Structure formats: C-alpha cells, structure tokens
Amino acid sequence: MTASPGLIVLAAGGTGGHLFPAEALARELMARGRAVALVTDKRAAAFPVEGVPTYRVPAGRMGAGLLSKLGTLIEIGRGTLAAGRLLKRLGPGAVVGFGGYPSVPTMLAAARLRLPSLIHEQNAVLGRANRMLAGRVRRIATAFETVQGLAAGDSEKIVQTGNPVRPAILALHSQGYDPPAADGPIRVLVMGGSQGASILSRVVPEALKLLPRAVQQRLQIWQQVRAEDAEMVRCAYEGSGITVETKRFFDDIPERLAACHLMIGRAGGSTTAELTVVGRPSLLVPFAAAIADEQTANARTLVERGAAWLLPEDEFTPAILSGQLERILVHPAALARAAAAAHRLGQPEAAQRLADLVEAEARP
C-alpha cells in the first residue's frame, strides 16, 4: 500500500441525504489541507461534489426476494474486492462512510485492510448499511443525541457531531425569520426529498384549495414535483387563483428555504438538519415505507422541541392537511416560535466536529 496520510476517503450512497453531509465534510477537510476522494454510485451525478475525485465500485441494492438478496451479496463481494484494490492504491489515512449500500463495499474493504474507519449516521435510527458496518468501525458519528438500532457494544463508539450541511445552507444560519405580515404573502416551500414525493403532489394542491379564500390569495407556493406528476399538479392548481411555481428540482433551494414561512415535506436527516441550521418551521410527512421508520423518529425530535408539526402519511389527506395549515398559517406568532425552536436545534458546527473526529482517528 502506498501511504497517503493526508487523504481521506468518503464512501456514500448517491442520494442527497448521504452526499450533502459528505460534501460538507469534504469542504471542511480540504480547507484544512487534506486531500479527499469519494466512492459512490451513478446517482451521484445529480449531486456532483466539485473538486473531489470520484470512484465507483459494484454494490447492489438489497431487495425482498431470495434471488435479489443473493445477487446483492455477490455484488457486494465484487465491490469489496474492487474497493480493496482502490484503497491499496490510494493509501488513505482514514475512510468515512455515510450510509447507503454503495458505501458498504468500501467500508468492508477498509476494515479488512485495518484502515482507520468511521461511519456517520444522519438519522435518529441507524440505517441498514450502517447497521451492517457499526461493529467493524472505530467510531460512529451521529446527527441526533439518541440513535435507535445500535448493538449494545457499539454504544461506546458514539460521538454526536451533528449532521453537516451544505455550505450554501450554512451561510444562512444567522439570517433571521420574519413571520408573515398581516395580509402579506405567505411563502410555502413544498419538497419531497431528493427523489420527490408523489403524495405531496396529490395532497397539497387539493388541501390548499380547501383553505379560506382570504388565505389562498396570500399564498405563494414553491413546489418540487416529480416529472411524472407535473401535469397532474398543473391541472390541480389550474383555476385556483393560488400563486404557484413548480419544478422538478429547484437549484436555489437554500435561498427558497430561507425565504419561506413554512416548509412542507419529508423528514430525512439532511432535511431536518437544514431546517434547524436555517431555523425554519416545518410540517413534516415522514416517508411511511422507510424500513426502520427513521423519518418519523427524526420528525418527532423536532416536534418535541416545538420546531415542527407532524402528519403521518395515513393522516395526510387534503381535509386534514387543510385544517392543520389553516391553524398554522393564520398565527404568525406560532410560526415564529417554531422557527426559533428549530434554530436552537441547529448544529452549524457539525462539519468541524466531524472533521475533528476524523483527523483524531486518521493515521498521522
């Protein structure tokens, strides 16, 4: 192995929830003079990490059937061999995993090579990939104070660092929150995570059309819409008189998040971290199909501190959502209290804390 003690390898799944904290750590490490490389999958093309060399190894994705699981195990085996060759060539000082199945082969290879290794968990419940890896790594960095799903012996490895957010989000930490003025516009950002969410496309427009006309006339809606739902959403809003802008992906999400009075969306780890760093109130609809129901655990952490409202998917109907929104949107003081509570939960120093932990564990 050719030693490269200044290099840190990051391994992450290809969605924003895994890549955004990896990017934030990469930026912090590079600012400290460290070289960084990323191992991920093809989905990462949608979230490029500029200036960071990117590699791909086979990983697979665990399905429900026996044949699917067998195929995934074979792919993970192939990926582990490929990742081992890559790590031997790169000779990093440490390897950091951010969850998602694409991270598994690289982290397994790091363990086999006895490289210093850590994982970062963005959610309040340990994900499947990180659960597979927790017993093999030196440290487990967490976003939340309490994390479910840990084996008894792994709890001693925990270091709460918070969940690093993108630099564009971090820059908005000190921007205050102005609740809607009397009779002024009410700006609502609707997001379904990096993959979008059809349930938001089906329910939100219908719910908004049930609001009193005086509230509808004040609404300014920014809604993220999956490509296959775009026509349905356009038709749903047509003739409503509600001011709305829809896109497959807003490339200025940080600015819109800072400008909104309320965010309606999922409760993934990156979403909740960004909401709290910027300090914005939210109405959260956790992804019901999540295997460990981690988004509900994330959302409850915010709800218990008064920073958000929670609607489970089985209660997320136009009538219920409309009633909830009417109670929220016409009370600026309640929105301001939730924004302040969210801001108190924010951990803008998470990237620095995680980088400190990585450097403490890395080979000198």
Side-chain angles (χ1 to χ4, degrees), residues 339-358:
H343 200 261
R344 287 193 293 272
L345 284 171
Q347 299 183 73
E349 69 291 338
Q352 291 95 322
R353 287 180 178 175
L354 183 55
D356 288 345
L357 181 62
V358 171

Side-chain angles (χ1 to χ4, degrees), residues 36-58:
V36 178
L38 173 68
V39 183
T40 183
D41 65 20
K42 62 182 180 182
R43 295 174 298 171
F47 307 98
V49 182
E50 186 178 350
V52 177
T54 301
Y55 304 91
R56 294 178 177 85
V57 297

Side-chain angles (χ1 to χ4, degrees), residues 5-359:
L7 173 67
I8 305 296
V9 169
L10 311 181
T15 64
H18 300 302
L19 284 173
F20 290 156
E23 177 189 6
L25 176 61
R27 298 287 171 234
E28 177 65 24
L29 289 170
M30 288 190 293
R32 299 181 182 196
R34 289 272 188 178
V36 178
L38 173 68
V39 183
T40 183
D41 65 20
K42 62 182 180 182
R43 295 174 298 171
F47 307 98
V49 182
E50 186 178 350
V52 177
T54 301
Y55 304 91
R56 294 178 177 85
V57 297
R61 183 176 178 84
M62 193 68 77
L66 181 60
L67 288 178
S68 177
K69 291 180 180 179
L70 180 60
T72 297
L73 291 175
I74 292 171
E75 282 294 286
I76 289 176
R78 290 179 58 237
T80 301
L81 293 174
R85 292 191 293 269
L86 175 65
L87 293 178
K88 285 180 180 179
R89 177 161 60 87
L90 296 177
V95 184
V96 187
F98 284 87
Y101 272 98
S103 73
V104 172
T106 302
M107 299 309 297
L108 290 177
R112 289 180 61 183
L113 294 171
R114 300 186 183 277
L115 292 169
S117 58
L118 310 82
I119 54 174
H120 180 272
E121 178 54 59
Q122 299 89 48
N123 295 295
V125 180
L126 204 65
R128 284 201 297 181
N130 278 347
R131 198 170 301 188
M132 293 171 59
L133 299 165
R136 302 171 184 268
V137 298
R138 292 187 182 181
R139 295 288 183 183
I140 303 170
T142 65
F144 291 88
E145 184 177 357
T146 302
V147 178
Q148 303 170 35
L150 285 165
D154 293 333
S155 58
E156 298 176 356
K157 301 178 181 180
I158 292 291
V159 178
Q160 186 191 5
T161 60
N163 192 8
V165 298
R166 295 171 283 173
I169 292 288
L170 190 61
L172 300 168
H173 174 64
S174 38
Q175 182 169 321
Y177 177 81
D178 294 321
D183 299 322
I186 303 172
R187 294 183 292 274
V188 179
L189 176 63
V190 185
M191 296 193 302
S194 60
Q195 303 302 311
S198 289
I199 192 171
L200 299 179
S201 296
R202 295 193 305 270
V203 174
V204 171
E206 300 303 324
L208 297 179
K209 290 191 293 186
L210 295 175
L211 289 171
R213 187 65 179 165
V215 177
Q216 289 182 4
Q217 291 174 339
R218 298 173 60 194
L219 291 175
Q220 183 175 345
I221 307 298
W222 300 319
Q223 184 160 356
Q224 179 191 24
V225 178
R226 298 177 67 143
E228 57 267 35
D229 296 332
E231 181 62 16
M232 173 185 68
V233 173
R234 186 192 67 78
C235 292
Y237 280 116
E238 191 171 19
S240 68
I242 297 171
T243 301
V244 59
E245 181 182 359
T246 63
K247 280 189 178 181
R248 170 67 184 87
F249 185 80
F250 291 105
D251 56 11
D252 57 350
I253 283 291
E255 291 76 15
R256 290 178 190 261
L257 181 61
C260 79
H261 294 116
L262 178 73
M263 193 284 288
I264 302 173
R266 295 303 201 186
S270 284
T271 297
T272 53
E274 292 183 353
L275 283 166
T276 57
V277 167
V278 180
R280 292 299 177 264
S282 55
L283 194 156
L284 300 172
V285 187
F287 180 45
I291 293 171
D293 201 19
E294 65 273 10
Q295 290 200 9
T296 296
N298 296 348
R300 282 178 177 157
T301 300
L302 272 65
V303 172
E304 288 168 359
R305 305 294 180 88
W309 294 267
L310 169 64
L311 268 182
E313 276 196 12
D314 59 3
E315 298 177 19
F316 192 63
T317 66
I320 293 177
L321 176 60
S322 180
Q324 182 78 292
L325 288 174
E326 186 174 357
R327 289 188 292 272
I328 294 171
L329 296 178
V330 299
H331 290 96
L335 286 166
R337 285 194 297 271
H343 200 261
R344 287 193 293 272
L345 284 171
Q347 299 183 73
E349 69 291 338
Q352 291 95 322
R353 287 180 178 175
L354 183 55
D356 288 345
L357 181 62
V358 171
E359 292 200 308

